[in-house]
Amino acid sequence: MSSPHIKVAIVGMGVAGSYLYRLLSLNRIEADCFDIKRNEACGCSSCAWGVEEKAFVKVCGYVGLNPNKYIYRSFNFIDIGVECKASLCTINKPKFLRDLRKGAFINFTPVDVEDYDIVIDATGVDRALLPPVKNDRIINTIQYKMKTNDNYNDNQFIIEPAPVGYWWHFPLSPGHIHVGCGNLITDPKKILTTKFNLHKHKIICSCDGKERLLSPLRCLPIAYENIYGIGESIGCTMAGCGAGIIPSIECAIIFTECLVNNKLD
C-alpha cells in the first residue's frame, strides 16, 4: 500500500480534483489543493449538470455522500432528435463539489511541482502542467442557468446534435433550466439561439468555456515525470457530447486505486 506520508498536490478543484481529494482523504493520504479564483456565479467551471443516474448514485456512495442531496430531477428518457429510454438525472453540481471539498484548504497560488512526490493535473481543458496535446481538438461552449416563465414546459431533457456540435436543455429545480451549446467552428451562441429563445426567460447566470473532444489515447502523455493527469486533462469525456462528470470521477477512482496499490507505473 502507498505510504500516507508521500507529498501529493492536486491542481484543479473541479469534479475530478475534488472527488480525488475526498478519495485520498478517505485513504488517509493528505493532499495540498490548488486552483484558480473563478468568476462564475456558481463558483465552478460549469458545464451541463446532467449525469447517468445509476452511475451517480454509485459514485456518491463510494465516498459516503447521499446522492439524494444533489439530485434535482430524474428522467427515464432523453430527446436526441428522437425520444430514447435512459436513466438520467440533473444535479446541483456546485453543492456536490462543495461537499467533496469539505475540509480542504485551497491555495490560489502557483504550485511548485518540485516540492511534491506526486502532482495531479486536474486542470481540465487547460492541461496546465502536462505537455500539450498534439493536434488537440477543443470545442467552444456557452451556457445559461435560467428561470422559466409560468407557462413553460421545463420537463424536457435534451441533448441534440447541431452542425459540428450539439446543444442541450436540462431541467433543474422546478422553474429552472440549464441550456447551452458547444460548437467546433461556429459561435455556439448563434447555434443556441436557433434552437432556444433566450429572451423568453430570465437569465440567472451565464458563462462560456471549452471542452476537449479527444479520447485518452489521443491525449498522451497522461503522465510526465512526477505529474499525472486525470479527468478532462487527459480526455476522460463521453464521445459525441463531451459529458465529463462521471468519466472524470471514474478516472479519479482508477488513479486512487493505482496510487494506493503502488501501481502508478
Side-chain angles (χ1 to χ4, degrees), residues 62-135:
Y62 199 65
V63 290
L65 296 179
N66 178 3
N68 295 322
K69 184 178 179 181
Y70 315 106
I71 293 175
Y72 281 127
R73 284 193 256 182
S74 300
F75 301 87
N76 57 14
F77 66 91
I78 182 173
D79 185 343
I80 57 173
V82 294
E83 191 171 296
C84 301
K85 291 183 178 179
S87 170
L88 300 165
C89 65
T90 50
I91 63 171
N92 188 329
K93 182 180 174 182
K95 181 185 289 187
F96 179 54
L97 292 182
R98 286 195 297 269
D99 285 355
L100 289 174
R101 300 168 184 157
K102 189 175 182 180
F105 176 82
I106 300 177
N107 298 279
F108 295 104
T109 55
V111 62
D112 187 341
V113 297
E114 295 182 358
D115 286 345
Y116 294 91
D117 301 306
I118 293 173
V119 179
I120 294 96
D121 187 340
T123 60
V125 71
D126 292 332
R127 197 175 160 102
L129 301 176
L130 287 169
V133 174
K134 294 181 179 179
N135 301 315

Side-chain angles (χ1 to χ4, degrees), residues 19 37 44 53 97 133 183 231 243 249 256:
Y19 195 90
K37 291 187 177 180
C44 59
E53 185 169 16
L97 292 182
V133 174
N183 199 272
I249 288 174
T256 301

Side-chain angles (χ1 to χ4, degrees), residues 7-25 29-36 104-107 109 111 116 118-123 129 228 230 252 255-256 259:
K7 291 191 68 177
V8 178
I10 302 172
V11 184
M13 295 301 289
V15 171
S18 298
Y19 195 90
L20 179 64
Y21 169 78
R22 187 171 180 92
L23 272 179
L24 295 183
S25 298
I29 298 174
E30 294 183 3
D32 291 341
C33 301
F34 295 81
D35 205 356
I36 58 173
F105 176 82
I106 300 177
N107 298 279
T109 55
V111 62
Y116 294 91
I118 293 173
V119 179
I120 294 96
D121 187 340
T123 60
L129 301 176
Y228 297 82
I230 65 170
F255 178 87
T256 301
L259 177 61

